Every structure is written in structure tokens, then in C-alpha cells.
Amino acid sequence: VQVVESGGGLVQAGGSLRLSCTGSGLRFDEHTMGWFRQAPGKEREGVSCINWSGGDTYYADSVKGRFTISRDNAKNTLYLQMNALKPEDTAMYYCAAGYSDSEYLCRWKNVGYWGQGTQVTVSS
């Protein structure tokens, strides 16, 4: 099983980035998928998660209204559109796959598969 993120980078505050995550070796359309992030010295936190159909989503309070999660099961790909980025969004962003509902995956991190991460840096 492989879960591979892409799309990170350096952006100024107020800017946008779109992260992508492609899964292989797993039944992508049977998994709840999520984005997590970890800043230096902090615990990994659930940012946004989405169930297998895309009909159920969860967002951390800190990103509500700025980030949008989506998925394309035909392409085995998960996305995270990040707008109005802030310096505090700076972190390594990880894609993950699990079986629980979206909120449970994000809040309790019962992840089956993790990606290697992609760095997002927001300058002030």
C-alpha cells in the first residue's frame, strides 16, 4: 500500500495551495481519507477528513471556512484546497487512510495507512 502526497511548498500569508494524495494498493473508494498536520514540537492533529463517498466531511475549527477537502475515487486521489493561509498553518501535512467515519478518523487518528508527508510553509 502506498499513500503519496504532493503539492506542498512555500507561500505568503493569504495565499493558496492545493495538496493532492494518491493511494495505490488499497481499495481507495472503501476508505475514509484525511489530512493531518504536525508542526515542530507539536502533536499531529487532524485537519480535515472525508468519508468514502465524499458525503461526510470534518474540519478542525482552525481551518473551517478556509480549507476544502474533496476526493475523486475514479483517480484514487484526495485533495485539500487551502486558501487564506496563515503562518500558523506551517507544518508537515500527511495524508492518511482509515475505516471510521470522518470525524472519528480526524479526532482519534485510528489510521490504517500514512503517507510520508509534504511540507507547507507560510511566510508572514
Side-chain angles (χ1 to χ4, degrees), residues 6-19 37-40 66-67 82 84-94 117-124:
S6 62
L10 173 64
V11 64
Q12 288 189 330
S16 298
L17 281 175
R18 188 175 83 154
L19 304 183
R37 67 186 181 188
Q38 188 167 19
R66 299 188 298 123
F67 291 9
M82 304 186 294
L85 282 161
K86 305 175 181 179
E88 51 263 44
D89 294 318
T90 295
M92 185 71 79
Y93 281 71
Y94 298 90
T118 185
Q119 178 68 38
V120 171
T121 302
V122 184
S123 63
S124 58

Side-chain angles (χ1 to χ4, degrees), residues 3-8 19-22 34-36 78 92-96 114-119:
V3 179
V4 181
E5 306 93 338
S6 62
L19 304 183
S20 298
C21 166
T22 301
W35 290 99
F36 296 75
L78 175 74
M92 185 71 79
Y93 281 71
Y94 298 90
C95 177
W114 288 102
Q116 292 299 306
T118 185
Q119 178 68 38

Side-chain angles (χ1 to χ4, degrees), residues 41-98:
K42 294 188 176 182
E43 289 190 3
R44 191 171 297 189
E45 63 172 346
V47 175
S48 183
C49 294
I50 186 169
N51 76 331
W52 67 274
S53 69
D56 177 47
T57 58
Y58 170 86
Y59 293 93
D61 288 343
S62 58
V63 306
K64 281 181 182 176
R66 299 188 298 123
F67 291 9
T68 302
I69 193 169
S70 61
R71 64 190 295 163
D72 185 339
N73 287 341
K75 296 181 178 179
N76 285 4
T77 302
L78 175 74
Y79 303 99
L80 185 68
Q81 178 67 42
M82 304 186 294
N83 299 328
L85 282 161
K86 305 175 181 179
E88 51 263 44
D89 294 318
T90 295
M92 185 71 79
Y93 281 71
Y94 298 90
C95 177

